[in-house]
Amino acid sequence: QAGVVESGGGLVQAGGSLRLSCTASGSTFPSSMMGWYRQAPGNECESVSIIDSEGRVYYSDSVSGRFTISQDNAKNAIYLQMNNLKPEDTAVYHCAPAYVDYLPGVGSCWGQGTQVTVSS
C-alpha cells in the first residue's frame, strides 16, 4: 500500500504472539481511518481490525479477543498486537486506508505487506 510500511511478521507456533507495525512513509497516514487487512493464498482479502483518528476500533469476529489495534500519533504508527495465534491466521497482512463499512477496498491487500505464518 502506498504511503505506509508494514513490518513485524514472522513464523510463530500456534498460541504464540506477534506485533505488527505500520508506519507512515510520509508525514501522515493516507487516511484518518486505517486498518489491517489480510489475505491467505486462494482466499479473498479480509478486514482484520480498523482504528479511526478518535481511537474507535473494529475487530472481525475471527480475531476479536485475541488481537489489539493501537496507534501512536507521535510516531505516526499503528500496531496490531496478535496473541493466541492460530494456523488460520496465516496470511499476508496489509495496512491500508479503511472505510466506514469496515469492508476491504479494492487496494486493501495490495503491496508487499508482511507475512505471518502460524505453525500447528
Side-chain angles (χ1 to χ4, degrees):
Q1 179 65 232
V4 301
V5 177
E6 304 106 331
S7 62
L11 172 63
V12 64
Q13 289 187 332
S17 299
L18 284 172
R19 187 195 195 205
L20 305 184
S21 297
C22 173
T23 55
S25 57
S27 59
T28 61
F29 281 105
S31 173
S32 60
M33 190 172 182
M34 296 292 293
W36 285 97
Y37 302 86
R38 67 186 182 187
Q39 187 167 27
N43 288 2
E44 294 184 351
C45 181
E46 64 173 325
S47 301
V48 176
S49 183
I50 292 166
I51 189 165
D52 69 14
S53 58
E54 297 186 9
R56 291 172 295 201
V57 299
Y58 158 85
Y59 298 100
S60 69
D61 289 343
S62 61
V63 307
S64 182
R66 299 188 297 123
F67 291 10
T68 302
I69 192 170
S70 61
Q71 59 187 6
D72 185 332
N73 294 327
K75 295 183 178 180
N76 266 347
I78 295 172
Y79 305 103
L80 186 67
Q81 177 67 43
M82 305 186 297
N83 298 330
N84 190 22
L85 282 160
K86 303 176 180 180
E88 51 263 43
D89 294 318
T90 295
V92 178
Y93 284 70
H94 301 265
C95 176
Y99 305 92
V100 294
D101 59 3
Y102 303 136
L103 295 175
V106 171
S108 295
C109 286
W110 287 1
Q112 185 173 355
T114 186
Q115 175 71 48
V116 172
T117 303
V118 185
S119 62
S120 58

